[in-house]
Amino acid sequence: MKWLTSLLTSSIGRKLIMALTGLFLCSFLVIHLIGNLQLLVDDGGVAFNDYAYFMTHFLPIKIVSYGLYAGIILHSIMGIALWLQNRKKKGVGYKGGKAQGSWASKNMGLLGTLILAFIFIHMGDFWFKMKFTDTLKMVSSEALGHDVKDLYKRVSIAFENPLIVIAYVIGQLVLAFHLWHGFASGFVTLGINNKKYTPIIETIGRVFAIVVPVGFVIIPILHYLGISF
Amino acid sequence: MKLKLKIWKQKNQTAEGKFHDYNVEADEHMSFLEMLDVLNEGLLENQQEPVAFDHDCREGICGTCSLVINGRPHGPMQGTTACQLHMRHFKDGDTITIEPWRANAFPIVKDLVTDRSAFDRIIQSGGFVSVNTGQAMDGNAIPIEKDVAGEAFEAATCIGCGACVAACPNGSAMLFTSAKINHLDLLPQGKVESSKRVVKMVEKMDEEGFGNCSNVGACHVECPKEIKLENIARMNRKYFAAKLSAK
Ligand code: SF4
Ligand code: FES
């Protein structure tokens, strides 16, 4: 097992952990987005509430969700640790000018910390209330044949508040910058970087960094404006 | 041309440093280091202490010169060492800020001179090929594909200057280390010690106190030999493979 611990504690190994957890979290974003787009369906929340019930009660998904929490925690702790350590290892910065490289790539620690703060607010508002409190009303679900918690209502109330909508817009902007660097960077870390694949991966990364946050952000905005389809 | 220089002065590793202002009259045909020579001659004539800076070949091949000029290791020109940088790229009346390489693994010896022996120790840990003594083999007896030879040669052009570390916001030495690993590893002679080499050199790199790479890419931009980032990805690959297959 020594080989494994020495691998995972080395500089490259810690990059590997960041890349694997990061790309895993990217895959989650896609699933989360697809599910959330049901919030835009004009059915009073029936489809979304059924979906929310399914996501919190279906065993395989429950298991994956624990992996997801672990992924978020690992990515955050490791990221913050690396950020602090790298600042120490760099020591003094330059007075004569700024370092080369994209703004996003040089501020991943800051962006990541903001995303973590966003996740806390976001989960506290919905996930926590749904799982651990009785503040959500019950509504009957025809498809499931029993009552489910009305998460849709909670979401609607939240997105009536312009401050919450603005917080979500900022949160997604930060996420976009984080993905702008993070997606392609993860692949470089895995060793996938050459003339053939890099341009494709970079393009996918850039598209991903725009499409996913935009997809998320239209939900609160359209809700606030009262538009659904 | 008249120039104002803001130069980092520091007595030794532990002393506190600060910027000193100097005025110098230079010629646009001078190299950057010649301009500093002129400055130092003037200082010596006036019985003042000259500015300490590293240099040796002055033709862009030894990797000794190491100046951060206006925030950029080796100055503003791409693919150019500080010694090969000419004053014609500056304007009369410019103020130029000159700082030493900044990274904890490269402690300042004096003024602009840093101790880069950490690089030597990384090389010592595995940056070599072992050969049996005896009659030298005919070089052409070992077939090497042209592209592979080219890639190895490109990696081998790294002059070990440390600008990559100086440029990196994390103080990481991955561009240097990966170039040194790959130029040997790509060739048949280097394959024998392939796994051992990558593990040893990465371990040494970490031990020497360099930071962790986060793929910012500033190293490649500032590298006077334009060493490619692909080298880092290849090193990662080789490192995983070596670790996973180790007995
Ligand atoms: S990789 Fe480039 S910047 Fe780094 S030591 Fe080699 S030549 Fe210098
Ligand atoms: S002095 Fe040798 S490379 Fe500049």
Side-chain angles (χ1 to χ4, degrees), chain A residues 90 94, chain B residues 102-103 105-106 119 162-169 171-173 176 210 219:
Chain A
K90 181 68 193 172
Y94 300 115
Chain B
R102 294 287 191 192
F106 289 161
F119 270 13
C164 43
V165 177
C168 178
S172 163
F176 164 80
F210 291 100
C219 52

Side-chain angles (χ1 to χ4, degrees), chain B:
Chain B
M1 60 201 296
K2 282 191 172 40
L3 297 165
K4 265 176 116 66
L5 305 176
K6 276 178 117 42
I7 301 181
W8 186 260
K9 291 282 291 171
Q10 185 170 330
K11 237 198 175 73
N12 54 47
Q13 192 184 327
T14 46
E16 260 208 51
K18 65 167 193 277
F19 282 102
H20 270 243
D21 290 337
Y22 299 93
N23 290 307
V24 69
E25 174 102 45
D27 185 286
E28 59 174 1
H29 297 300
M30 286 176 180
S31 74
F32 202 86
L33 300 192
E34 281 168 331
M35 181 275 290
L36 289 180
D37 291 339
V38 170
L39 171 76
N40 278 347
E41 271 163 34
L43 290 172
L44 282 169
E45 266 167 33
N46 292 320
Q47 321 258 311
Q48 280 174 292
E49 201 197 42
V51 175
F53 65 93
D54 255 337
H55 58 98
D56 188 25
C57 73
R58 297 205 174 199
E59 50 187 21
I61 54 171
C62 74
T64 309
C65 57
S66 45
L67 304 172
V68 175
I69 301 162
N70 288 338
R72 301 196 57 182
H74 289 303
M77 300 303 288
Q78 221 190 321
T80 311
T81 54
C83 60
Q84 291 285 292
L85 176 68
H86 284 83
M87 295 314 294
R88 58 175 170 271
H89 300 298
F90 297 90
K91 287 194 307 293
D92 184 43
D94 272 0
T95 301
I96 306 173
T97 308
I98 311 173
E99 294 164 86
W101 276 183
R102 294 287 191 192
N104 278 3
F106 289 161
I108 293 177
V109 177
K110 186 176 168 51
D111 299 348
L112 303 168
V113 178
T114 48
D115 176 2
R116 286 167 282 171
S117 55
F119 270 13
D120 300 337
R121 291 187 290 273
I122 294 178
I123 296 290
Q124 280 161 8
S125 72
F128 51 79
V129 291
S130 304
V131 288
N132 293 325
T133 51
Q135 195 110 51
M137 246 172 111
D138 177 4
N140 290 325
I142 308 167
I144 302 169
E145 202 203 323
K146 173 88 176 58
D147 289 347
V148 175
E151 214 183 312
F153 183 79
E154 258 185 38
T157 59
C158 162
I159 51 176
C161 63
C164 43
V165 177
C168 178
N170 306 322
S172 163
M174 283 215 184
L175 195 65
F176 164 80
T177 309
S178 65
K180 292 302 171 199
I181 288 171
N182 290 339
H183 97 257
L184 297 173
D185 191 75
L186 282 159
L187 300 174
Q189 295 92 329
K191 291 259 192 279
V192 186
E193 287 148 309
S194 175
S195 299
K196 255 195 209 153
R197 176 182 306 113
V198 65
V199 170
K200 286 236 164 93
M201 288 177 77
V202 169
E203 269 171 13
K204 194 72 199 170
M205 171 182 79
D206 290 350
E207 197 186 301
E208 288 292 340
F210 291 100
N212 305 285
C213 170
S214 60
N215 303 323
V216 170
C219 52
H220 166 70
V221 177
E222 304 292 20
C223 170
K225 299 298 156 186
E226 300 175 309
I227 298 294
K228 293 201 192 88
L229 290 176
E230 273 102 329
N231 280 295
I232 296 180
R234 188 174 188 279
M235 171 177 70
N236 295 347
R237 258 187 340 255
K238 291 281 153 184
Y239 181 75
F240 299 143
K243 278 288 185 187
L244 293 174
S245 64
K247 296 215 177 67

Side-chain angles (χ1 to χ4, degrees), chain A residues 83-105:
Chain A
W83 184 27
L84 295 175
Q85 197 188 46
N86 283 341
R87 285 169 61 120
K88 265 229 298 278
K89 302 232 156 156
K90 181 68 193 172
V92 188
Y94 300 115
K95 295 283 160 326
K98 276 206 290 285
Q100 300 292 302
S102 71
W103 182 83
S105 71

